[in-house]
Amino acid sequence: MNSQAPAENRSFAARRWWRWLTRALTLGFFLLVGYLLMNQVRSVEWDEVVGAMRSRPSSELWLALLLSAASFALYSCFDLLGRHATGHGLPLPKVMMVNFVSYAFNLNIGSIVGGVAFRYRLYSRFGLDADVITRVVVMSMFTNWIGYVLLSGAVFARPPFALPDEWRLGAAGLQALGIALLAAAASYVLLCAFARRRTWEFRGKKLTLPSLPLALLQLCMSCVNWLLIAAILFVLLRQQIAFPVVLGTLLVAAIAGVLAHIPAGLGVLETVFVALLSDRHPKSDLLAALLTYRAVYYLLPLAMAALIYLIVELRAKKDGRRMTKQT
């Protein structure tokens, strides 16, 4: 009996220590999210956003909202590919909800916190282990960018615009990049179709090639999503700039935003659009369209995602208290 008491005390102390550690990590996560969100809110010129939206015809705004809803609905299905690949049993609506919340936060506060941390937190709430979550996250992110690679290759191989003289890449460089991206997309499809070895291990994590039909579905879903995003901007620019030009500019801005490591790409999107399109469209109209785009595609979904996330957390705490009482 006496020998068991110290062991029980150590076990109790370890559980207590772990409980306090998880609480501290949770508090730290919420503080980080709150800090990033406050920075995002402060960086938005709300008067300009409201003014830009008021200057838009209501039909234009409704169409932009419809296209935004279609894009978010499609992106919310990306994690379903990971669900299929891993075989985890979470219901489809739950998977799509997690995907929606993480995408909205990803757009506004960056991929590390938004795209990754929110997925891990929410999926772990629903009982998935870290290995399965990692595979789902990797597949979803890869789905998004493989479509980008294919579309960028097709657009950049025959650039619909001239790059500014001060940009080092130049027209020939952009064309070469386009051809390289097309080759990369084709290589991925061929690898999925013909590779004999389907699984690799990287830093203790297994990466498995999808089947050819799944790879083609990845490409299709991602390309359609990027086209929907470009369509939002095309509508908000009142269809006065050719769609391939708007698409190409968006693709340049997307990679510039990633390289800049700025949450929501603040300033990057506007800089690229003004640099590439100001000779085709008045600068004031460009900025008004981009501000409206941010309101429709970034801020409105963020408000919805924050509310959904708050509800999930409150329900999880309520369930946790109920289970504690039962035990």
Side-chain angles (χ1 to χ4, degrees), residues 25-35 121 309 313 317:
L25 291 172
T26 299
L27 178 61
F29 177 75
F30 280 114
L31 289 174
L32 175 61
V33 170
Y35 171 75
R121 180 157 184 88
Y309 179 65
E313 287 292 337
K317 287 185 177 180

Side-chain angles (χ1 to χ4, degrees), residues 4 26 141 148 181 196 203 227 256 268 280 296 310:
Q4 290 179 352
T26 299
M141 289 185 167
Y148 174 90
L181 291 172
R196 293 184 178 179
R203 294 185 178 180
L227 291 171
V268 178
R280 303 167 184 253
V296 167
L310 179 62

Side-chain angles (χ1 to χ4, degrees), residues 195-217:
R196 293 184 178 179
R197 183 181 176 183
R198 312 297 297 182
T199 302
W200 288 266
E201 192 166 330
F202 179 73
R203 294 185 178 180
K205 303 293 183 181
K206 289 184 178 180
L207 301 176
T208 303
L209 275 177
S211 63
L212 177 60
L214 193 56
L216 294 176
L217 183 59

